[in-house]
Amino acid sequence: MTRKIDIFDTTLRDGEQSPGASMNTEEKLVVARQLLRLNVDVIEAGFPISSPGDFESVRRIAELAGDQAIVCGLTRAVEKDIDSAAEALKYAKRPRIHTGIGVSPSHLADKLRITEDECVERAVKCVKYAKKFVEDVQFYAEDAGRSDYNFLVRVIQAVVDAGATVVNIPDTTGYSLPEEFGRRIKYLMEGVNGIERVKVAVHCHNDLGMATALAMEGVRCGATQIECTINGLGERAGNTAMEEVVMAIKMHEYELDAATDINTREFCKASRLVSSITGMNVQANKAIVGANAFAHSSGIHQDGVLKKRDTYEIIDPADVGAGQSQIVLTARSGHAALKHRLEELGYTFEGEVLDQVYEAFLNMADKKKEVYDEDLESLINERERNENALYSLESVQISCGFPLTPTATLTLRDAEGAVTTACEYGTGPIDAVYKAVNKIVQVENDLSEFSVQSVTRGIDALGEVTVRVAAGDGDVYTGRGADGDIIVSSTKAYLNALNRLLADKRE
Amino acid sequence: MTRKIDIFDTTLRDGEQSPGASMNTEEKLVVARQLLRLNVDVIEAGFPISSPGDFESVRRIAELAGDQAIVCGLTRAVEKDIDSAAEALKYAKRPRIHTGIGVSPSHLADKLRITEDECVERAVKCVKYAKKFVEDVQFYAEDAGRSDYNFLVRVIQAVVDAGATVVNIPDTTGYSLPEEFGRRIKYLMEGVNGIERVKVAVHCHNDLGMATALAMEGVRCGATQIECTINGLGERAGNTAMEEVVMAIKMHEYELDAATDINTREFCKASRLVSSITGMNVQANKAIVGANAFAHSSGIHQDGVLKKRDTYEIIDPADVGAGQSQIVLTARSGHAALKHRLEELGYTFEGEVLDQVYEAFLNMADKKKEVYDEDLESLINERERNENALYSLESVQISCGFPLTPTATLTLRDAEGAVTTACEYGTGPIDAVYKAVNKIVQVENDLSEFSVQSVTRGIDALGEVTVRVAAGDGDVYTGRGADGDIIVSSTKAYLNALNRLLADKRE
């Protein structure tokens, strides 16, 4: 029988830790629904002790998942962390607590300041404590990629004996070479008694661009669970990308004696969804889900592909859901058609709310004529952003060009309903609008990134703008806005970021 | 003595084959200058027979490089290709011809339709023919990653005997697993007589996200040359990224007994330059050069890094030239200061041209106050784009907002000096401008991508817009424009793409 490799998604935990990629609970639920459609084995939903938002996300995703997936909460090797995770997972059908401690010389000496014996003792203690709440306890040996081989065997042996059901070997700094990391996994498989009774997981980072290869070598040498994220999101250069590692296993199922249960046709949609929600764009030359992943340009290659597809292409684009964008609705589509399509995309709306969405859809369809799935997703995201906003856009009016002085007149409504108007000029129209916004919303901030993606094809495509602003204390907030008018999208994106900043700082 | 690993850059050949990433000769020279600053061993400058532009690029880069780097031209195993490469490399101080043929069952049977014997015969013949022109002949065994081990040994043995100085083992489809690819290289090292007298190169693709790891395994198992590109640009999901593979070797010099001569402090600048010229943006979670590569967000990690940097970070950001953006010039800077700074960036301007650049700089400095290196690079790029344009922008005037109907009035000047004005309304201001452009420049095209990056930080940053348009026959053209006003940048970018399309179709 082929080895089943569990896919453990950590987009909502490690992925969300990317600077500027933070998501609120509603956004995390949208991503979690897509993870269930992908059929992942485990969803790491957050780090419950770290914030009330993370706690709430873990709790609600645990309810959402039911028995479709294991839901996991992260903790340090600390009792109060484990208490919090257990509480957040109380209603989960299949709960898992993920606890652990650093095991490398650097972590022991500089970060934890403990001896090897103390490390083993704390590891065992946290696993035993977690076992009081749940049966399924995963232990992580942080910075295992730089740890001593024999000490790692000792720690893992101790936690396996203490009842851990999964042991996670992370290459926390993304430092390892694939061959060496594989050797490490093999050494554990051979050195730890009873290792065949637990799952061995790999969690790899991409600092040298090899996160996917490290995970693949781990699997080749015995690992049976991969920790990964959509689009390879994660701290610094990110984690193993789920779409890459799953397709690599699929292409090499026979040599590796390994397979996953992932519904690969959901990859492109998952990629778009996560990039839209987090504002973290995917480069064109990204494997599997990049815009060019299946595009051929050179004459030689085109000729080869025309003669026989597999001369240059090993994956059928349809297998990862690429190139399936279709016109689904127009201004003549009724309530029922919109409701049905939204349900297929994973959104359920009823009554008055559905009427509001339909109104917004008609407004878009009048301007755009052809409404794609991506346009609908953008419209829903835009709607969710506007709920609970402190400042909302009443109107904005711009005149600009070359040679002209860009000028903006802006009216905002605040939470109490008071309306304020301001006008400003600037280097460009967006600069002018942002200065006018700053005149009304007086909060210290620094715009660190601004980008625009067209959501769909064509000259009349909806523009989705992502901005990142840094608050006075250095915290980064992402804002997004979508509209047919790029200046209006930009205004909405900036307001979205400032609304998030203000909400967070008031908490 | 540590093994020296040659870095063979193919940004200007394989990288340029990315859909929409094509560069003209001037742009290729700018990139080539940066490759010389990086101190690469070999520059693959193009595929001379493929177009007059490629021929000219190879010729001029050969002149530029002098004896600083080997300059290489690609050919198929065809005499006329080799003639053309030899001609283009005539004035090179250190010329190399890169010729080869497919060796996998799929390439032999479906693309080339030849037997194994015929393949060996053609391989030997092309190497011998190339040797008539140059001493340094590199042979590529296309799709070697899917070839039969023993047939690959046979082909490589034959070309080594025929005088090849470098043998290149590409994983053309990006299909291999790292361990298997390493095993293949080892098999060659052990099976080919005299292999120690030639260089063994690896050329890996990123279709499964493992191009860097494949190259690293190649080096571990005996390869002494790596083919790679800046930002991992290249066909489909791209090639091995130079910045990743060089830093991975640097981090593991001792285990691998390997080192390169690359000046790693030029990586971030090289990345920005290539992404600005090709319009291929780099995602935030890209290893080494991504915006988040060295950013820490989670509380645990920040705490660790504050205690000791190497708890979570293995590379010093300064080693790759990260975070060195500085305000270098203001409106009070004189001619000499500008000239000096431009020279440090690799641009030389004199007399009237310098005056024009200074004028444009002052105009920018008045609006922006703080002028960064990236702003200057963008200004120079903008200038180069405007030369030889068929249509140039005289003026554009926009009014838009919410709730307003976006309207644009545009005046263009054509190559004969005739001036035409048009006005249009649209979904948004850019749609309105583009419709007005289309009214004047009547050429069939489809906008397939639109994106904006801010060149520098802050609300008044210069916006650089990249668009991709597809001509009626499916060919893709990239256009770029930079201005403080995003609508003006967008207009310039669209005109740039259409000018390129028109120039190409008239050739």
Side-chain angles (χ1 to χ4, degrees):
Chain A
M1 217 180 79
T2 310
R3 282 190 304 155
K4 158 77 191 299
I5 308 298
D6 278 5
I7 296 299
F8 175 112
D9 180 88
T10 184
T11 307
L12 299 173
R13 205 277 301 162
D14 201 322
E16 205 237 356
Q17 283 175 204
S18 303
S22 60
M23 299 175 234
N24 62 33
T25 301
E26 290 305 322
E27 291 168 329
K28 285 186 183 171
L29 283 164
V30 171
V31 173
R33 280 186 209 109
Q34 180 63 26
L35 294 173
L36 294 175
R37 281 190 288 268
L38 280 161
N39 201 31
V40 303
D41 299 283
V42 189
I43 299 176
E44 185 162 59
F47 183 6
I49 194 88
S50 69
S51 76
D54 255 44
F55 182 91
E56 180 65 9
S57 300
V58 175
R59 197 183 64 73
R60 292 195 51 195
I61 291 169
E63 283 174 3
L64 171 78
D67 56 10
Q68 276 190 77
I70 294 169
V71 176
C72 178
L74 184 75
T75 78
R76 291 165 299 182
V78 172
E79 290 195 355
K80 69 169 194 261
D81 283 31
I82 297 171
D83 290 337
S84 169
E87 177 68 22
L89 290 167
K90 201 160 60 177
Y91 300 106
K93 285 248 172 68
R94 297 167 62 196
R96 179 182 292 178
I97 290 177
H98 191 188
T99 188
I101 193 165
V103 298
S104 66
S106 156
H107 277 241
L108 292 185
D110 300 319
K111 187 186 152 202
L112 301 164
R113 290 160 187 159
I114 55 175
T115 64
E116 290 195 346
D117 289 348
E118 285 168 312
C119 175
V120 174
E121 191 186 314
R122 278 170 67 170
V124 167
K125 205 171 141 198
C126 72
V127 168
K128 285 192 172 159
Y129 190 73
K131 286 292 268 193
K132 291 185 184 172
F133 301 100
V134 295
E135 171 50 33
D136 191 6
V137 173
Q138 173 169 333
F139 174 82
Y140 64 85
E142 192 172 9
D143 207 18
R146 297 193 296 177
S147 65
D148 174 78
Y149 274 48
N150 291 318
F151 179 61
L152 184 60
V153 167
R154 183 178 159 207
V155 174
I156 297 300
Q157 183 69 66
V159 297
V160 167
D161 293 342
T165 46
V166 187
V167 290
N168 174 17
I169 313 301
D171 183 39
T172 305
T173 58
Y175 174 83
S176 296
L177 290 177
E179 184 272 339
E180 194 278 330
F181 189 68
R183 211 171 345 117
R184 183 180 290 277
I185 297 297
K186 207 165 172 206
Y187 195 82
L188 275 182
M189 302 306 294
E190 288 164 359
V192 175
N193 291 325
I195 193 113
E196 67 287 350
R197 291 195 312 271
V198 304
K199 282 206 167 281
V200 176
V202 287
H203 174 109
C204 302
H205 275 275
N206 199 40
D207 295 66
L208 296 174
M210 298 193 281
T212 297
L214 291 167
M216 290 301 292
E217 269 294 281
V219 166
R220 199 180 64 82
C221 294
T224 47
Q225 177 177 295
I226 298 173
E227 308 211 0
C228 51
T229 61
I230 302 295
N231 296 340
L233 220 62
E235 286 274 351
R236 306 184 311 277
N239 289 92
T240 302
M242 189 198 298
E243 58 278 9
E244 293 175 1
V245 82
V246 167
M247 291 314 289
I249 290 175
K250 197 170 173 181
M251 295 294 114
H252 295 279
E253 183 170 334
Y254 179 76
E255 303 100 288
L256 294 168
D257 176 37
T260 74
D261 284 345
I262 296 296
N263 177 6
T264 62
R265 290 180 177 257
E266 291 287 331
F267 276 145
C268 283
K269 192 176 145 206
S271 170
R272 277 200 310 272
L273 182 72
V274 168
S275 115
S276 158
I277 286 184
T278 61
M280 304 285 283
N281 296 325
V282 166
Q283 64 194 27
N285 54 329
K286 163 83 176 64
I288 312 294
V289 294
N292 283 353
F294 299 105
H296 295 275
S297 158
S298 82
I300 297 181
H301 285 205
Q302 281 174 356
D303 180 55
V305 171
L306 291 178
K307 282 182 181 148
K308 193 153 188 281
R309 199 182 55 80
D310 81 353
T311 320
Y312 289 96
E313 214 168 82
I314 52 168
I315 295 172
D316 179 352
D319 276 354
V320 296
Q324 297 172 344
S325 181
Q326 285 165 5
I327 303 164
V328 289
L329 298 171
T330 68
R332 281 181 302 280
S333 309
H335 262 73
L338 176 68
K339 185 168 182 242
H340 178 72
R341 192 64 208 153
L342 287 172
E343 277 168 5
E344 286 184 346
L345 292 173
Y347 303 100
T348 312
F349 296 106
E350 301 284 349
E352 202 183 319
V353 181
L354 179 63
D355 290 345
Q356 289 166 8
V357 173
Y358 187 70
E359 194 71 22
F361 156 74
L362 272 192
N363 194 7
M364 175 191 277
D366 278 342
K367 286 190 190 152
K368 273 205 83 232
K369 293 176 200 86
E370 304 171 338
V371 178
Y372 297 80
D373 283 350
E374 295 89 327
D375 291 322
L376 289 179
E377 284 168 356
S378 188
L379 185 139
I380 301 301
N381 292 340
E382 184 59 41
R383 210 192 115 72
E384 286 176 356
R385 284 195 284 274
N386 287 334
E387 285 179 2
N388 313 317
L390 290 169
Y391 287 93
S392 60
L393 180 66
E394 279 288 296
S395 72
V396 59
Q397 164 187 338
I398 291 113
S399 79
C400 67
F402 164 78
L404 284 177
T405 302
T407 309
T409 309
L410 171 88
T411 306
L412 298 183
R413 180 183 295 272
D414 70 16
E416 285 77 40
V419 158
T420 318
T421 299
C423 94
E424 268 293 356
Y425 67 93
T427 322
I430 296 173
D431 184 38
V433 173
Y434 285 17
K435 282 180 176 147
V437 169
N438 286 342
K439 243 187 185 171
I440 303 176
V441 183
Q442 299 192 353
V443 56
E444 188 187 348
N445 76 89
D446 177 35
L447 184 75
S448 65
E449 207 182 310
F450 176 89
S451 68
V452 185
Q453 286 307 121
S454 50
V455 176
T456 39
R457 291 171 64 95
I459 213 168
D460 60 351
L462 206 65
E464 189 163 272
V465 171
T466 304
V467 300
R468 278 183 232 285
V469 301
D473 59 5
D475 284 353
V476 176
Y477 297 87
T478 298
R480 287 186 311 285
D483 193 279
D485 180 333
I486 193 174
I487 311 293
V488 177
S489 318
S490 304
T491 311
K492 287 179 172 176
Y494 190 50
L495 278 177
N496 179 232
L498 295 185
N499 278 325
R500 283 176 163 216
L501 186 160
L502 291 168
D504 195 40
K505 297 302 175 200
R506 280 185 192 176
E507 257 178 18
Chain B
M1 216 181 81
T2 309
R3 283 189 302 156
K4 157 79 191 298
I5 308 297
D6 277 6
I7 296 298
F8 175 111
D9 179 88
T10 184
T11 307
L12 300 173
R13 206 275 303 162
D14 201 323
E16 204 236 358
Q17 284 175 204
S18 303
S22 61
M23 299 175 235
N24 62 34
T25 301
E26 290 306 321
E27 291 168 330
K28 285 185 182 170
L29 283 163
V30 172
V31 174
R33 280 185 210 108
Q34 180 63 25
L35 293 173
L36 294 174
R37 282 191 288 268
L38 280 162
N39 200 32
V40 303
D41 300 282
V42 190
I43 298 176
E44 185 163 59
F47 183 6
I49 193 88
S50 69
S51 76
D54 255 44
F55 182 92
E56 180 65 9
S57 300
V58 174
R59 199 183 63 74
R60 292 193 53 195
I61 291 168
E63 283 174 5
L64 171 79
D67 55 10
Q68 276 191 76
I70 295 169
V71 176
C72 178
L74 185 75
T75 78
R76 291 165 298 182
V78 171
E79 291 194 354
K80 69 171 195 266
D81 282 31
I82 297 171
D83 290 338
S84 169
E87 178 68 23
L89 291 167
K90 202 159 62 179
Y91 300 107
K93 286 248 172 67
R94 298 167 64 197
R96 178 183 292 178
I97 290 177
H98 190 189
T99 188
I101 193 166
V103 299
S104 66
S106 156
H107 277 241
L108 293 186
D110 300 319
K111 188 186 150 202
L112 302 163
R113 289 161 186 157
I114 56 175
T115 64
E116 291 195 345
D117 288 348
E118 286 169 311
C119 175
V120 174
E121 191 185 312
R122 279 170 67 171
V124 167
K125 207 171 140 197
C126 72
V127 168
K128 286 192 170 159
Y129 190 73
K131 288 291 271 192
K132 293 185 183 172
F133 301 99
V134 297
E135 171 50 32
D136 191 6
V137 174
Q138 173 169 333
F139 174 82
Y140 64 84
E142 192 172 11
D143 206 17
R146 295 193 297 177
S147 66
D148 174 79
Y149 275 47
N150 290 319
F151 179 61
L152 184 61
V153 167
R154 185 179 157 205
V155 174
I156 297 300
Q157 183 68 65
V159 298
V160 167
D161 293 343
T165 46
V166 187
V167 290
N168 174 17
I169 312 302
D171 182 39
T172 305
T173 58
Y175 175 85
S176 296
L177 289 178
E179 184 272 339
E180 194 277 332
F181 189 69
R183 210 170 346 116
R184 182 181 291 277
I185 298 297
K186 207 166 172 203
Y187 195 82
L188 275 180
M189 301 306 294
E190 288 164 359
V192 175
N193 292 325
I195 193 114
E196 65 287 350
R197 292 196 311 271
V198 303
K199 282 206 167 281
V200 176
V202 286
H203 174 109
C204 301
H205 275 274
N206 199 39
D207 295 66
L208 296 175
M210 298 194 281
T212 297
L214 290 167
M216 290 301 291
E217 268 295 281
V219 167
R220 198 179 65 82
C221 293
T224 47
Q225 177 177 295
I226 297 173
E227 308 209 0
C228 51
T229 60
I230 302 294
N231 296 342
L233 219 61
E235 287 274 351
R236 307 185 311 278
N239 288 94
T240 301
M242 188 198 297
E243 58 278 9
E244 293 175 2
V245 82
V246 167
M247 292 313 290
I249 289 174
K250 196 169 176 183
M251 294 294 113
H252 294 278
E253 184 170 333
Y254 179 76
E255 302 101 287
L256 294 169
D257 177 37
T260 75
D261 284 345
I262 295 296
N263 177 5
T264 62
R265 290 180 177 258
E266 291 286 332
F267 276 146
C268 283
K269 193 176 144 207
S271 170
R272 276 200 311 271
L273 181 71
V274 168
S275 117
S276 157
I277 287 183
T278 61
M280 303 284 284
N281 296 325
V282 167
Q283 64 194 26
N285 55 327
K286 164 81 176 67
I288 312 295
V289 295
N292 283 354
F294 299 104
H296 295 276
S297 160
S298 82
I300 296 181
H301 285 204
Q302 281 176 356
D303 179 56
V305 171
L306 290 177
K307 282 180 181 149
K308 192 153 190 282
R309 199 182 56 79
D310 81 354
T311 320
Y312 289 96
E313 213 169 83
I314 52 169
I315 295 173
D316 180 352
D319 276 353
V320 297
Q324 297 172 346
S325 179
Q326 286 166 4
I327 303 165
V328 289
L329 298 171
T330 68
R332 281 180 303 279
S333 309
H335 263 72
L338 177 68
K339 185 167 181 246
H340 177 72
R341 191 64 208 154
L342 287 172
E343 277 168 5
E344 287 185 344
L345 292 173
Y347 304 99
T348 312
F349 296 104
E350 301 284 353
E352 202 183 320
V353 181
L354 180 63
D355 291 344
Q356 289 166 8
V357 174
Y358 187 71
E359 193 72 21
F361 157 74
L362 272 193
N363 195 6
M364 176 192 275
D366 278 343
K367 285 189 189 154
K368 272 205 84 232
K369 293 174 199 88
E370 304 171 336
V371 177
Y372 297 80
D373 283 350
E374 295 90 326
D375 291 321
L376 289 179
E377 284 167 357
S378 187
L379 187 138
I380 302 300
N381 292 340
E382 184 59 40
R383 209 191 116 72
E384 286 176 357
R385 283 195 284 275
N386 287 334
E387 283 178 3
N388 314 316
L390 291 169
Y391 287 93
S392 61
L393 180 66
E394 280 288 297
S395 72
V396 58
Q397 165 187 336
I398 290 113
S399 80
C400 67
F402 164 77
L404 283 178
T405 301
T407 308
T409 308
L410 171 88
T411 306
L412 299 183
R413 181 182 295 270
D414 70 17
E416 283 78 41
V419 156
T420 317
T421 299
C423 94
E424 267 293 356
Y425 67 92
T427 322
I430 296 173
D431 183 38
V433 173
Y434 285 17
K435 281 181 177 148
V437 170
N438 286 341
K439 243 187 186 172
I440 303 177
V441 185
Q442 298 192 353
V443 55
E444 188 189 346
N445 76 88
D446 176 37
L447 184 75
S448 64
E449 207 181 310
F450 176 91
S451 68
V452 185
Q453 287 304 123
S454 50
V455 177
T456 38
R457 289 170 64 94
I459 214 169
D460 60 352
L462 206 63
E464 190 162 271
V465 172
T466 304
V467 298
R468 279 183 230 287
V469 301
D473 60 4
D475 285 353
V476 175
Y477 297 87
T478 298
R480 287 185 311 284
D483 194 278
D485 181 333
I486 193 174
I487 310 293
V488 178
S489 318
S490 304
T491 312
K492 287 179 171 176
Y494 190 49
L495 277 176
N496 180 232
L498 296 185
N499 279 325
R500 284 176 161 215
L501 186 160
L502 291 167
D504 194 41
K505 297 301 174 199
R506 279 185 194 176
E507 257 177 17

